[in-house]
Amino acid sequence: MTLISELTILQQADKEEVDLPRTSADEPAIGKKRLYIESYGCQMNFADSEIVASVMRNAGFATTSSAEDADLIFLNTCAIRDNAEQKVRNRLKHLTGLKRQKPELLVGMLGCMAERLKTKLLEEEKVVDLVAGPDAYRDIPKLVEEAESGQKAVNVFLSREETYADIAPIRLNSNGVTAFVSIMRGCDNMCSFCVVPFTRGRERSRDPHSIVRECQDLLDQGYREVTLLGQNVDSYKWAESSSLPDGEGTGTAATVTFANLLELVALIHPDLRVRFSTSHPKDITDDVLHTMARYDNICNYIHLPAQSGNSRVLKLMNRTYDRPWYEQKIHSIRRILGEDCGISTDMISGFCTETEEEHQDSLSLMDFVQYDYAYMFAYSERPGTLAAKKYADDIPEDVKKRRLNEIIAKQLSHSAARNQRHIGQVQRVLIEGPSKRSDAELCGRNDQNKMVVFPRGDWQKGQYVNVLVTECTSATLRGEVV
């Protein structure tokens, strides 16, 4: 799963902006208590916060955009890197001061950091009143009641069934145009560097009917783009009994794969654009690629994390594919979807025992693929992972950072070159709202998930426009509506 909601970690200003948490919006609150939610980390966390807001609305809470106005504060946390956890701990120091001014204020920790540390969080962070893991969100109202009575409350039970399929999310801080739809939870891939299987539990897929229903409801509300979310969407699988009896009259089992699900969502309406994240190189199939090619409203963009360009390092990471396998997947994408299909990646510098030559292999893989975007990180050992148990974190920090800077520099040049391809092309853009820099301009994303900025004119948020691209940076396309 990708670690941030926007798509580019390339320039420092972009990175600082993207790393900011998402917060809840203001709802009418007459006669209700106020809930403030701050969400860190990946898209799945943002989607989970929308589930939590729905659960708490039924418990008599309304969301607020101000921590100072809240009766209850939730931090929905990430545990993928130490940096992510330190950010949350620093935030808790500020909330300690807030709680001194308002002793009745309750503070809860949700998500992956809560799941990783469990009751240890309550010992280490006295300001925290309740802790809930990703599969315990239905139980939060009861945990709040316990905390209101003066007890510390915890539920970090991981489920093999929970998908929250019956809970309609409350869209927090939404632009009203794009929305996340969770299609599965958990992860069965035991990548040695990753804490997710331990914090989100085993993989389970959500009923496809509820997914299609949620996407249809979003379209009816005026949304024009959905992103189907899962730690590994390509392993989505749902088996159900068909209504058609087989030869023996006992019924046949119909299996819905990710390619089938993509098609079901694409068929809802041609104006509903469909994206998905994240794909795993070991699981993405030609069926998925051919389904993308068949439907114009399935976006021509794939996030396919490599993590490393060296086969030995990939084996240590337990990625279950090698470099030739990954390259073959890239060949398939280009063959079926064309050279303009956007491809992004995750890349880790300085994994355990990585040599200088193996680092060069990562750079050469980047040259081979020519990624449009990349999420790039220095290796951060996470307690409890297979790598922490089996391998020494033996690459010095200065070497990790130097290698990371080389990866970033490489990606900057590739992003610029890939964006240059669009100059002179007409791109179909879904308008998301005003540009961040000027109200005289609008912005939206093209098929490849690239931000396109253009003069406002008489266009409105939620409309599709055709934009002739006239210039670009490594992160943005600019042009005129034609």
Side-chain angles (χ1 to χ4, degrees):
M1 190 70 209
T2 58
L3 304 180
I4 49 179
S5 63
E6 313 300 341
L7 258 180
T8 318
I9 301 188
L10 294 175
Q11 297 165 352
Q12 191 57 33
D14 295 330
K15 182 174 180 181
E16 287 169 3
E17 186 174 321
V18 164
D19 278 348
L20 292 173
R22 287 200 179 185
T23 59
S24 47
D26 290 310
E27 289 184 308
I30 298 171
K32 294 184 176 183
K33 292 183 178 179
R34 304 306 303 261
L35 165 66
Y36 173 79
I37 307 178
E38 215 165 80
S39 306
Y40 296 79
C42 68
Q43 297 160 326
M44 190 66 80
N45 266 13
F46 303 141
D48 278 1
S49 291
E50 295 176 341
I51 295 288
V52 171
S54 183
V55 168
M56 295 310 294
R57 176 184 279 180
N58 291 335
F61 283 79
T63 60
T64 175
S65 63
S66 168
E68 285 71 22
D69 292 343
D71 302 292
L72 173 62
I73 293 175
F74 286 148
L75 302 186
N76 195 353
T77 62
C78 174
I80 202 81
R81 292 180 293 154
D82 182 62
N83 183 44
E85 292 196 3
Q86 292 310 316
K87 203 172 293 177
V88 170
R89 290 193 188 271
N90 289 334
R91 184 64 173 130
L92 287 173
K93 290 175 186 172
H94 172 76
L95 295 183
T96 300
L98 201 59
K99 198 163 183 175
R100 279 197 206 101
Q101 301 166 24
K102 194 175 179 180
E104 70 277 14
L105 173 69
L106 294 180
V107 176
M109 292 277 280
L110 315 179
C112 292
M113 186 176 172
E115 187 66 46
R116 187 179 83 75
L117 294 172
K118 301 179 173 63
T119 54
K120 193 177 174 190
L121 251 181
L122 298 174
E123 299 161 15
E124 295 175 352
E125 304 288 354
K126 302 301 181 189
V127 69
V128 176
D129 300 291
L130 68 94
V131 174
D135 290 347
Y137 296 151
R138 292 180 194 272
D139 200 36
I140 288 179
K142 184 163 76 69
L143 298 178
V144 170
E145 283 182 24
E146 286 181 38
E148 285 174 337
S149 73
Q151 303 176 62
K152 299 284 188 177
V154 181
N155 185 343
V156 287
F157 175 74
L158 285 176
S159 167
R160 285 176 175 264
E161 288 82 36
E162 181 63 83
T163 63
Y164 301 112
D166 60 320
I167 296 178
I170 292 176
R171 305 297 167 180
L172 297 174
N173 228 354
S174 168
N175 60 13
V177 178
T178 64
F180 298 133
V181 176
S182 175
I183 67 168
M184 58 196 302
R185 300 183 71 81
C187 185
D188 287 349
N189 298 312
M190 297 298 288
C191 299
S192 65
F193 55 81
C194 187
V195 74
V196 167
F198 307 103
T199 59
R200 286 192 167 270
R202 299 300 297 273
E203 195 173 87
R204 61 270 189 203
S205 297
R206 180 179 161 191
D207 168 11
H209 305 296
S210 70
I211 296 168
V212 171
R213 192 161 53 244
E214 183 176 336
C215 293
Q216 178 68 60
D217 288 346
L218 286 164
L219 178 72
D220 295 343
Q221 293 167 41
Y223 287 82
R224 290 297 176 264
E225 179 179 295
V226 293
T227 300
L228 307 180
L229 291 182
Q231 306 299 144
N232 175 16
V233 290
D234 298 290
S235 61
Y236 176 91
K237 188 176 288 186
W238 177 269
E240 58 185 343
S241 295
S242 164
S243 59
L244 295 173
D246 64 16
E248 308 216 337
T250 57
T252 57
T255 299
V256 179
T257 66
F258 181 58
N260 301 145
L261 180 67
L262 260 185
E263 183 167 44
L264 288 171
V265 176
L267 285 169
I268 291 172
H269 197 283
D271 283 344
L272 182 66
R273 221 161 50 165
V274 185
R275 299 190 188 278
F276 56 88
S277 185
T278 293
S279 290
H280 196 294
K282 76 177 174 62
D283 291 319
I284 191 168
T285 65
D286 284 3
D287 281 348
V288 167
L289 303 180
H290 285 300
T291 301
M292 293 174 69
R294 268 200 310 277
Y295 294 94
D296 289 340
N297 59 329
I298 302 178
C299 291
N300 237 16
Y301 165 71
I302 296 172
H303 184 60
L304 197 69
Q307 309 296 0
S308 171
N310 176 266
S311 292
R312 185 192 74 89
V313 174
L314 288 170
K315 188 170 184 178
L316 289 181
M317 290 177 165
N318 197 34
R319 291 291 286 173
T320 68
Y321 56 84
D322 57 14
R323 176 166 175 154
W325 174 278
Y326 187 91
E327 289 181 348
Q328 191 54 49
K329 292 297 179 183
I330 298 298
H331 281 306
S332 295
I333 292 169
R334 297 295 185 215
R335 172 174 52 85
I336 296 168
L337 295 172
E339 290 296 322
D340 278 339
C341 180
I343 304 175
S344 61
T345 193
D346 297 348
M347 199 65 78
I348 296 173
S349 73
F351 187 69
C352 312
T353 74
E354 180 190 63
T355 66
E356 199 60 37
E357 186 179 6
E358 289 164 343
H359 163 62
Q360 292 298 321
D361 285 343
S362 290
L363 296 177
S364 72
L365 180 67
M366 294 173 74
D367 285 333
F368 169 78
V369 179
Q370 299 279 313
Y371 294 108
D372 294 75
Y373 314 98
Y375 303 91
M376 301 161 283
F377 306 103
Y379 173 63
S380 171
E381 183 178 87
R382 308 308 294 129
T385 58
L386 298 177
K389 293 173 183 174
K390 292 173 66 177
Y391 311 126
D393 183 7
D394 57 355
I395 307 299
E397 284 304 310
D398 61 332
V399 174
K400 286 182 185 178
K401 286 179 181 174
R402 190 258 304 159
R403 291 178 184 174
L404 177 59
N405 285 334
E406 290 177 8
I407 288 171
I408 291 171
K410 176 78 69 178
Q411 186 54 49
L412 269 170
S413 66
H414 289 167
S415 292
R418 290 289 294 173
N419 283 356
Q420 285 280 342
R421 292 174 62 90
H422 294 302
I423 292 180
Q425 293 180 350
V426 175
Q427 299 289 303
R428 190 170 192 242
V429 176
L430 175 60
I431 303 173
E432 295 181 16
S435 160
K436 288 173 184 170
R437 290 196 170 89
S438 169
D439 280 344
E441 296 178 319
L442 294 173
C443 66
R445 295 181 190 274
N446 71 353
D447 218 30
Q448 292 80 15
N449 216 10
K450 297 178 182 182
M451 188 58 75
V452 184
V453 178
F454 53 92
R456 176 182 282 273
D458 295 325
W459 305 104
Q460 302 295 319
K461 182 172 75 170
Q463 290 182 318
Y464 287 98
V465 290
N466 291 320
V467 177
L468 174 64
V469 178
T470 56
E471 57 182 310
C472 72
T473 68
S474 61
T476 308
L477 306 177
R478 300 185 71 88
E480 304 276 344
V481 177
V482 294

